Amino acid sequence: MTDVGMRALAAGIAILSAAASSIGEGLLVSKAIEGMARNPEMSSKLRSSMIIGCALVETCGIYALLVAILIIFVM
């Protein structure tokens, strides 16, 4: 494999991490909404935990995208 091919492979693996984080974020939101529907008194606590969790998952996806861009253009 050439150097360019290895870069493309590494960037693709990094983007897979971003795709997995978006799947995880969707699952997080769906389970939080399901919990709010089952127990309406806990909706404010679930909402705040969901927002913190979404922020953490989203930063993981952004870091994976940043790593992919660095692999392609810098290395």
Side-chain angles (χ1 to χ4, degrees):
M1 290 187 101
T2 64
D3 187 40
V4 175
M6 292 299 282
R7 282 189 209 166
L9 185 63
I13 291 171
I15 290 299
L16 281 176
S17 174
S21 72
S22 59
I23 291 171
E25 187 173 358
L27 288 174
L28 174 78
V29 171
S30 71
K31 294 300 178 179
I33 290 174
E34 183 179 324
M36 288 179 205
R38 289 180 186 262
N39 192 357
E41 293 95 23
M42 293 291 293
S43 66
S44 64
K45 194 170 193 176
L46 283 172
R47 187 178 303 119
S48 62
S49 297
M50 180 188 67
I51 290 172
I52 291 171
C54 283
L56 292 173
V57 171
E58 192 67 31
T59 57
C60 178
I62 291 171
Y63 288 149
L65 180 64
L66 180 68
V67 166
I69 290 171
L70 286 174
I71 288 171
I72 291 173
F73 293 115
V74 175
M75 294 185 162

